[in-house]
Amino acid sequence: MPDNHSPEPFYSLARSAQGFIFLSAFGPVDEQMQIVGTTIEDQTRACMEAMGRALASEGAGFDDLLCVEVFLTDLEERDGFNAIYASYFGERKPARRLYGAGSLFKGIKVEVTGIAFKADQTT
């Protein structure tokens, strides 16, 4: 299984219990905490790829997401976000909340978190 430890020492990227997988918030930053991408599309893709790696570390995937929360610093960029976000899901889309955020870590444009469920998880 891939490592799910955060570059920050005080939290994990994902934790599972009784089949539920709780994800930390994913922003468009690399392992050195440097911003990835300048457009909402590039930053959304970076967030979703990081979320996918965290899900995989727990034996899950995007189809296992139940609920997603999205924070955008500019709600006018919602369409650009949605275009990339939607490409990660098939017919089975999670419930979603989208918030306008005044500011996010290091000035990023987007942050995404969620809760998944994998029925065969026992820890």
Side-chain angles (χ1 to χ4, degrees):
M1 259 185 216
D3 182 25
N4 74 357
H5 295 289
S6 165
E8 300 282 3
F10 43 85
Y11 68 94
S12 295
L13 297 176
R15 287 289 310 264
S16 61
Q18 301 299 312
F20 286 96
I21 303 165
F22 299 88
L23 300 170
S24 290
F26 294 93
V29 294
D30 62 19
E31 293 80 20
Q32 289 75 42
M33 303 302 283
Q34 298 301 308
I35 297 173
V36 175
T38 57
T39 67
I40 190 64
E41 293 84 3
D42 290 342
Q43 289 194 6
T44 300
R45 190 172 294 106
C47 291
M48 298 303 290
E49 291 297 318
M51 179 179 271
R53 287 189 300 274
L55 286 164
S57 78
E58 297 294 324
F62 288 107
D63 283 347
D64 300 307
L65 279 168
L66 299 176
C67 183
V68 171
E69 290 186 310
V70 178
F71 301 87
L72 293 179
T73 56
D74 183 353
L75 290 174
E76 295 296 319
E77 293 190 305
R78 183 175 183 260
D79 290 343
F81 169 82
N82 282 332
I84 302 303
Y85 173 85
S87 71
Y88 285 83
F89 301 98
E91 290 295 313
R92 212 181 136 134
K93 295 171 183 63
R96 188 179 92 179
R97 294 181 190 109
L98 187 138
Y99 304 96
S103 66
L104 295 170
F105 177 75
K106 289 193 169 195
I108 60 176
K109 296 174 176 280
V110 59
E111 194 171 75
V112 182
T113 186
I115 298 171
F117 182 78
K118 188 73 175 167
D120 58 354
Q121 296 280 83
T122 57
T123 59

